[in-house]
């Protein structure tokens, strides 16, 4: 199948970053599909957020007509077999001897991109949009720009197509990601992100802060809270 040059597949987890990426893709491209991954996350809340976020984004002017199919890939058994991490088990969130947090799932983004490219191949979508970010993450090696560029090359060779992997957040910190959301969809998009995206590693939805829901203490909450504070000029 030929790839449509301006059709896109967005890796969409239901978090702040991937929601911003999805909104951005919906402003740029006339056809946008989404893919999500179930991999035995401790908390299914992320996957539930995806569905309501897609429905709410479709209500924005022009987005509804552009938003296409959603694909959910169940990697539960295979990721579970890779072993315990703090995202897939009740292990504590802490730093390991290698300097990586225990939330690191080895090779997760490499797997995600490979599955995404296979779906994009079948669906004729040339652009693969993903929220990886090197700026203020925890040093996950599979979020790095070099890794993503190498994956693009490997996938293009291995699938014999010219995919373009776009990572619009690669060099933005969380404050700049809030700013980008405002630029794309104004306060309505910021409000949607605050109210309906999920980032907290512990899956906490009971506590609502100015920056959204979460425990307020895990690394993901700390980053999001700090980014919101900086963006607000606090
Ligand atoms: Zn948290």
């Amino acid at each position: 199948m030929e790839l449509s040059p301006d059709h896109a597949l967005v890796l969409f987890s239901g978090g702040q970053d991937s929601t911003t990426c999805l909104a951005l893709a919906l402003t740029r491209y006339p056809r946008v599909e989404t893919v999500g991954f179930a991999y035995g996350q401790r908390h299914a809340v992320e996957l539930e957020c995806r569905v309501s976020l897609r429905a709410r984004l479709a209500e924005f002017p022009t987005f509804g007509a552009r938003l296409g199919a959603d694909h959910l890939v169940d990697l539960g058994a295979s990721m579970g077999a890779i072993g315990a991490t703090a995202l897939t088990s009740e292990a504590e969130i802490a730093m390991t001897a290698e300097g990586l947090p225990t939330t690191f799932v080895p090779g997760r983004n490499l797997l995600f991109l490979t599955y995404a490219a296979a779906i994009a191949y079948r669906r004729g979508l040339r652009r693969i949009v993903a929220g990886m970010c090197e700026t203020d993450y925890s040093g996950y090696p599979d979020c790095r720009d070099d890794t993503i560029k190498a994956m693009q090359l490997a996938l293009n060779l291995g699938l014999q197509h010219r995919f373009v992997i776009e990572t619009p957040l690669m060099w933005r910190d969380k404050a700049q990601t809030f700013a980008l959301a405002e630029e794309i969809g104004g306060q309505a998009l910021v409000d949607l992100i605050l109210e309906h995206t999920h980032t907290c590693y512990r899956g906490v939805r009971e506590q609502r802060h100015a920056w959204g829901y979460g425990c307020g203490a895990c690394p993901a909450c700390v980053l999001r809270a700090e980014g919101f504070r900086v963006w607000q000029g606090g």
Side-chain angles (χ1 to χ4, degrees):
M1 178 190 273
E2 284 296 302
L3 301 181
S4 301
D6 59 355
H7 289 194
L9 179 66
V10 179
L11 277 70
F12 179 54
S13 71
Q16 176 185 352
D17 291 348
S18 69
T19 302
T20 306
C21 285
L22 177 53
L24 185 63
L26 287 165
T27 64
R28 285 182 177 167
Y29 305 121
R31 183 75 183 173
V32 179
E33 302 190 5
T34 52
V35 59
F37 299 93
Y39 53 95
Q41 291 99 321
R42 281 208 294 200
H43 309 287
V45 57
E46 249 188 34
L47 295 177
E48 291 160 16
C49 286
R50 295 179 77 251
V51 177
S52 73
L53 280 164
R54 274 179 47 95
R56 288 167 202 279
L57 280 169
E59 291 168 8
F60 279 67
T62 74
F63 286 5
R66 297 178 160 205
L67 185 58
D70 183 38
H71 311 272
L72 189 63
V73 180
D74 189 349
L75 298 175
S78 56
M79 294 289 271
I82 292 169
T85 82
L87 285 191
T88 54
S89 72
E90 292 301 318
E92 263 309 295
I93 297 170
M95 296 302 278
T96 65
E98 292 82 39
L100 284 169
T102 50
T103 47
F104 177 61
V105 180
R108 178 176 54 165
N109 288 319
L110 308 182
L111 276 178
F112 287 0
L113 286 169
T114 304
Y115 275 93
I119 291 167
Y121 180 103
R122 287 281 180 226
R123 305 286 297 175
L125 313 168
R126 180 161 187 235
R127 294 173 190 279
I128 297 168
V129 184
M132 288 82 172
C133 168
E134 193 170 313
T135 305
D136 79 285
Y137 262 25
S138 316
Y140 296 178
D142 58 344
C143 287
R144 290 188 187 133
D145 196 44
D146 283 353
T147 308
I148 306 303
K149 289 190 164 79
M151 277 304 283
Q152 175 176 295
L153 182 60
L155 292 168
N156 284 347
L157 290 171
L159 294 169
Q160 211 169 329
H161 273 54
R162 297 292 291 176
F163 296 103
V164 179
I165 302 181
E166 297 179 3
T167 53
L169 308 184
M170 183 58 74
W171 307 112
R172 287 173 194 269
D173 60 22
K174 275 279 187 285
Q176 291 167 323
T177 300
F178 274 116
L180 177 61
E182 189 182 34
E183 206 177 293
I184 296 166
Q187 191 60 38
L189 183 59
V190 173
D191 288 343
L192 183 147
I193 284 169
L194 293 176
E195 195 61 33
H196 297 287
T197 66
H198 184 81
T199 310
C200 176
Y201 285 149
R202 294 198 173 95
V204 172
R205 290 297 289 176
E206 296 78 30
Q207 288 166 259
R208 174 66 155 87
H209 314 263
W211 45 266
Y213 292 91
C215 71
C218 75
C221 281
V222 169
L223 266 182
R224 179 163 164 160
E226 175 64 9
F228 184 78
R229 189 186 64 76
V230 171
W231 174 62
Q232 294 270 280

